[in-house]
Amino acid sequence: MRCAGTFACIGLLACGSSVAPTHAINARVDGSTQLDAADSDAPESAAPVDASSEDPVVDSGLSCGPDERRIGSDCVASGVPRPIAPMSLATVTHLRPTFRWHAPRGARQARIELCRDRACTDVISAHDAEGESFRPEDPLPAQSVVFWRVRVRSDAELDRSASPAWLFHTPVSSSSEAVDTSVHPRLDVNGDGVDDWAIGAPFAAARELSGSGFVRVMFGDRSRVGARYRELQGSARFEHFGTSVSSAGDINGDGFGDLIVGVPNATVDREAGAGRVVLYFGSAAGLVERSARAVDAIRGQRQFGHAVASAGDLDGDGYGDVIIGSPYARNAQDAPAGAITILYGGEGVGASESLRRVEIPAPVGREGFGRALVGGGDFDGDSRSDFAVLAVPDGAAPRRGGLYLYVARPLGARFEPSFVRENTDYLDVSMGDIDHDGRTDLVVASASAPRDLGEYNVVASIFQGRSTGFDGIASVDVIGPSAVEAGPMRARVIGDCNGDGFDDLALSTSALAPVGRNAFGTMSVHLGGAPLRAREGTRVLLGERVNTQFASALASHSDVNGDGFADLIVGSPWFEIRGQTHRGRVQLFIGASDGLAATPAYSQTGEADHDNLGGSVARAVHRARTVLICTMRPVANATLALHDARTFAAL
């Protein structure tokens, strides 16, 4: 049973000693530790690969070296091929995707097996190829999950051992411009081809520690959605474990999805509120908690882990990468400008291998850089992952926000934004292919100016992906629901919720109500299409109760029942029930051929006061313009506060 504490420490911006700024680019700073939590789960070994039924080549007296084995007429170095693309757990944009892998030294040929299951007992097709790439002549099954693996081949002989089996998702149809890439790695921690989803309750009293927080990883299921879950818990008071949560893609390349959880109020080296993230690794048995790795803030970072996201595969090595926001990191003038961190994946990341880490400081003159971010798309269609970052200043400060799109760079090159919009008031950022041309579009949310009635509309500005000429991109605006004041506003790409090939949008506003006014929160769904244009909402959903922060957290690109249609996970972290405040609620809306359902297929409510269940959901975080400070306040105030910075001037 969880018990809420009496007092809460809400962030740390205004307390604690100042720290030196960090501006290192391509720094190889690890900052990670191995967690040793008790856990009975263990990854299952890969399914055995049957030996080829073909006759081996007759011995010709070929002699191989001590670190080589003979396969047919070749001497091949030890090891198996390593898949690189399509990206593990991602969605391909073409039904004839290009397969790429890295072969052991000496291997000249390979066999690619495309299957309907991880053990390849149900084979779609098998193909022999020269070198390290292959593209099938015939399209793969549409709207399906495809597993693939590679074995070394020489003449008529196949190696008995195969690469790890990876999976990817196919679209309804190939992109209109035949772009061949893969995007948006899903959360699938047991690798069964049905997406899982994660829910954060960052203010819950897990382990009876006030404000420690927890995350529930809900296993996808074709028949009983929400029937099984695994709970991960914070370990210290007021660290707010689960403030952010996202798929990490396949960061160690084993074919199973990994999870990243933000803990922005964690104390690091006696520095309260420095923050950390925790990486959890998937397996056939699900998450293996004892192998989790904590990655700490480095000196100068504050609220590290406030936002987290999969970055896709930034360097093209086949391993998933992640991006982490630290919106109060100190700049050279010791001001809280913000920063982001890239953690690169690798084979040994799930063990003891050092993590390759790159820090990107805020652009000059910006504030709140890294408060919101998104990755895993491919804006220019070059088969390399791209990511975007928002600078969102606190409160009613002058417009020093901005949007920064980073396209993939050669390994070792300095990251510089390729597309910039500065002096903006953007509040949220998302990615998806709204026009189905194969290039990822960038979507940002902002609030329109109030009308005569004093209401604000959420506006989604869509910047269309293109291969060149980023500076000339103009946005197409889609108008969403209105609110009585400008509060949390979201524009989230759902994915293709109706199976027409175009990704769709969910726009929401969940502002608090002024005295005498009600604010239930509203969400509208807008279908994608080509050409891009403003579209009316096809579905409008209203929060059930007043001031619940309905739809302030939205998860995208998830299909939790495996039917091929994208589903939408909605968090309302201030939901109240039976007089208990801020218990929070998460609802799941299922996609179908006629669009997103009007009623939830599944709902889960927090168990205690101030659990704030739904404060984050996979691929999303309840983000607000907020100043986080240390103060002894009742837990009733320990929410993701939607207060102007000036609210705390007298504290």
Side-chain angles (χ1 to χ4, degrees):
M1 177 178 179
R2 295 189 185 88
C3 301
T6 306
F7 298 96
C9 172
I10 313 178
L12 291 149
L13 186 61
C15 56
S17 58
S18 62
V19 289
T22 298
H23 300 286
I25 299 295
N26 292 328
R28 297 179 63 88
V29 181
D30 185 23
S32 65
T33 58
Q34 192 80 16
L35 299 188
D36 189 24
D39 195 317
S40 59
D41 291 345
E44 296 178 5
S45 58
V49 178
D50 294 335
S52 172
S53 59
E54 301 176 62
D55 294 332
V57 174
V58 176
D59 190 349
S60 60
L62 181 66
S63 177
C64 297
D67 61 343
E68 298 176 329
R69 79 265 198 206
R70 181 178 170 183
I71 303 175
S73 60
D74 292 326
C75 290
V76 180
S78 60
V80 295
R82 181 166 60 82
I84 294 177
M87 188 163 43
S88 181
L89 307 165
T91 300
V92 297
T93 60
H94 202 285
L95 291 176
R96 292 178 50 240
T98 299
F99 295 87
R100 294 188 295 114
W101 59 91
H102 178 69
R105 186 185 71 253
R108 297 179 296 110
Q109 302 169 316
R111 173 164 292 181
I112 300 92
E113 297 167 311
L114 308 178
C115 311
R116 293 183 176 85
D117 63 314
R118 182 171 292 277
C120 272
T121 59
D122 187 355
V123 178
I124 299 171
S125 59
H127 309 269
D128 292 332
E130 300 285 336
E132 297 181 321
S133 67
F134 164 78
R135 190 175 190 186
E137 294 182 1
D138 299 321
L140 295 174
Q143 214 169 2
S144 300
V145 177
V146 177
F147 294 82
W148 70 287
R149 64 187 185 186
V150 188
R151 283 195 276 175
V152 172
R153 174 185 174 91
S154 177
D155 302 322
E157 186 173 344
L158 292 177
D159 191 4
R160 295 178 61 89
S161 299
S163 70
W166 281 14
L167 70 85
F168 60 86
H169 301 262
T170 60
V172 172
S173 60
S174 296
S175 61
S176 62
E177 296 190 15
V179 174
D180 178 13
T181 187
S182 55
V183 293
H184 310 306
R186 315 271 192 94
L187 180 64
D188 185 357
V189 298
N190 57 0
D192 63 355
V194 183
D195 296 344
D196 306 318
W197 38 303
I199 306 166
F203 292 90
R207 309 178 198 261
E208 299 188 354
L209 299 172
S210 298
S212 55
F214 68 81
V215 169
R216 284 181 183 156
V217 180
M218 314 292 297
F219 292 98
D221 196 299
R222 298 183 190 278
S223 58
R224 295 191 307 150
V225 172
R228 298 180 301 126
Y229 69 84
R230 173 72 176 276
E231 186 167 299
L232 309 169
Q233 298 180 337
S235 58
R237 295 181 185 275
F238 311 124
E239 70 176 9
H240 302 323
F241 178 90
T243 293
S244 58
V245 59
S246 174
S247 163
D250 184 1
I251 200 168
N252 58 354
D254 63 356
F256 299 96
D258 305 317
L259 179 74
I260 183 170
V261 177
V263 196
N265 271 17
T267 297
V268 176
D269 293 334
R270 293 180 292 184
E271 193 70 43
R276 70 165 48 97
V277 299
V278 185
L279 295 168
Y280 295 91
F281 302 97
S283 74
L287 291 178
V288 185
E289 191 172 355
R290 68 166 175 268
S291 68
R293 294 190 69 174
V295 182
D296 292 337
I298 60 176
R299 187 166 177 79
Q301 291 177 332
R302 307 283 286 183
Q303 291 284 296
F304 178 75
H306 176 85
V308 296
S310 165
D313 180 7
L314 295 174
D315 54 357
D317 64 353
Y319 298 105
D321 308 314
V322 295
I323 45 178
I324 303 160
S326 178
Y328 297 110
R330 316 297 290 189
N331 62 13
Q333 291 73 42
D334 201 32
I340 65 166
T341 298
I342 301 171
L343 294 181
Y344 287 94
E347 182 178 7
V349 168
S352 57
E353 182 179 279
S354 294
L355 290 162
R356 190 157 50 96
R357 176 172 178 158
V358 171
E359 316 295 335
I360 303 178
V364 175
R366 297 304 105 189
E367 293 180 357
F369 182 72
R371 191 184 303 278
L373 41 76
V374 64
D378 186 358
F379 190 80
D380 53 359
D382 65 351
S383 299
R384 299 281 290 275
S385 298
D386 309 319
F387 65 94
V389 183
L390 286 187
V392 185
D394 279 318
R399 290 160 55 96
R400 293 192 292 273
L403 167 66
Y404 304 87
L405 172 68
Y406 297 82
V407 300
R409 290 279 193 257
L411 187 62
R414 181 185 178 96
F415 273 100
E416 296 287 352
S418 297
F419 174 64
V420 175
R421 286 289 185 271
E422 293 193 316
N423 299 319
T424 67
D425 57 359
Y426 297 143
L427 299 168
D428 192 24
V429 61
S430 186
M431 281 183 169
D433 189 3
I434 309 298
D435 55 359
H436 192 47
D437 67 351
R439 299 181 184 90
T440 300
D441 307 313
L442 193 58
V443 181
V444 290
S446 58
S448 69
R451 299 180 296 186
D452 293 340
L453 297 177
E455 294 183 347
Y456 295 76
N457 283 92
V458 57
V459 178
S461 298
I462 306 171
F463 296 93
Q464 189 172 15
R466 60 172 66 178
S467 57
T468 59
F470 298 158
D471 289 341
I473 302 174
S475 65
V476 174
D477 290 346
V478 176
I479 309 300
S482 62
V484 293
E485 67 176 34
M489 294 192 170
R490 304 286 171 255
R492 194 54 46 89
V493 178
I494 304 170
D496 184 4
C497 71
N498 64 342
D500 64 355
F502 301 92
D503 281 349
D504 308 311
L505 282 172
L507 309 184
S508 71
T509 178
S510 51
L512 289 174
V515 176
R517 301 287 296 276
N518 289 336
F520 285 84
T522 310
M523 181 180 70
S524 59
V525 176
H526 304 254
L527 299 180
L532 292 178
R533 60 184 177 85
R535 296 174 183 273
E536 295 293 328
T538 60
R539 179 83 70 198
V540 178
L541 303 174
L542 187 67
E544 299 175 43
R545 304 186 183 184
V546 175
N547 295 342
T548 65
Q549 292 289 288
F550 173 73
S552 63
L554 301 171
S556 55
H557 300 291
S558 296
D559 176 14
V560 302
N561 62 351
D563 63 357
F565 300 97
D567 308 317
L568 183 61
I569 304 155
V570 176
S572 306
W574 289 9
F575 187 83
E576 301 182 7
I577 188 169
R578 292 191 292 274
Q580 292 181 318
T581 59
H582 299 170
R583 285 178 62 166
R585 168 170 287 184
V586 170
Q587 296 170 300
L588 172 66
F589 295 86
I590 297 294
S593 59
D594 58 349
L596 203 68
T599 57
Y602 176 83
S603 180
Q604 182 180 146
T605 304
E607 300 169 9
D609 275 359
H610 312 295
D611 269 5
N612 286 91
L613 187 74
S616 62
V617 291
R619 293 190 166 276
V621 57
H622 174 96
R623 304 179 185 100
R625 296 186 181 197
T626 174
V627 169
L628 301 173
I629 66 173
C630 278
T631 179
M632 297 299 285
R633 289 290 190 191
V635 170
N637 293 329
T639 58
L640 283 172
L642 304 174
H643 301 300
D644 190 291
R646 293 167 296 184
T647 304
F648 300 105
L651 294 177

